[in-house]
Amino acid sequence: DSLQFGAKVQNNNAGTGTAAIAFSSDSTYYKAAIGLTRAGANGQGTLDFYVDANTDAANVVVGDKVGSWSTTSLAIAGAISAVLSADSLQFGGKIQNNNAGTGTAALAFSSDATYYKAAIGLTRAGANGQGTLDFYVDANTDAANVAVGDKVGSWSSTTLAVTGAISATTTITA
């Protein structure tokens, strides 16, 4: 198995900073983001999640962080809920792996000019591209990209599996 990177979001900040991809359901403002926050050499860091719950005329900001995933834990600020919706998904792009067996089509994150240190990808597990949404964080400050062995969690249609500890500031519900 290997990670197939379809896109890269990068922050060249040598200290800290977050390379993020933003999401919007408005033509003007981004209200959610996922990004790699640099914490060490060669772009090593945590995969952070942001959601702006305000209806103000402003983009999501660092203070809107709702969770952080490292190689050892998933920290959640708030409750986890399972919500089903009849609303439609709007797709901004597609990253595809045509591997008929297994393989992961991933979006990579980097805060280094050379190395990808986090990724989110769909790993094929069944017919018609069915699979799991997998999360990868490289804890090493080495001169290497995130790899399949750096998986910290996996989300299927029924289960969230985490490698390491889960911490939440409030209750976790389903």
Side-chain angles (χ1 to χ4, degrees):
D1 291 341
S2 65
L3 296 175
Q4 306 295 316
F5 302 114
K8 177 181 180 180
V9 179
Q10 179 179 330
N11 177 2
N12 279 328
N13 190 326
T16 59
T18 303
I21 185 166
F23 301 90
S24 175
S25 57
D26 176 89
S27 62
T28 309
Y29 302 106
Y30 297 112
K31 292 298 184 177
I34 301 171
L36 175 68
T37 301
R38 185 183 179 109
N42 292 315
Q44 178 273 333
T46 58
L47 191 59
D48 295 332
F49 300 84
Y50 305 85
V51 176
D52 183 356
N54 298 314
T55 58
D56 58 354
N59 290 319
V60 63
V61 295
V62 173
D64 296 322
K65 185 162 72 169
V66 295
S68 183
W69 212 326
S70 73
T71 58
T72 58
S73 67
L74 171 62
I76 301 165
I80 298 176
S81 308
V83 178
L84 300 177
S85 173
D87 294 339
S88 66
L89 294 174
Q90 301 298 317
F91 301 105
K94 178 180 179 179
I95 300 171
Q96 180 176 346
N97 180 357
N98 282 330
N99 188 328
T102 60
T104 303
L107 174 64
F109 297 88
S110 174
S111 47
D112 177 81
T114 309
Y115 305 107
Y116 304 121
K117 290 297 184 178
I120 300 172
L122 177 67
T123 301
R124 185 183 178 108
N128 297 313
Q130 179 274 334
T132 57
L133 185 61
D134 295 331
F135 299 85
Y136 304 84
V137 178
D138 186 353
N140 301 312
T141 59
D142 60 354
N145 288 324
V146 63
V148 171
D150 296 320
K151 185 163 72 170
V152 296
S154 184
W155 213 328
S156 73
S157 61
T158 59
T159 306
L160 172 61
V162 177
T163 302
I166 298 178
S167 62
T169 57
T170 60
T171 60
I172 298 175
T173 59

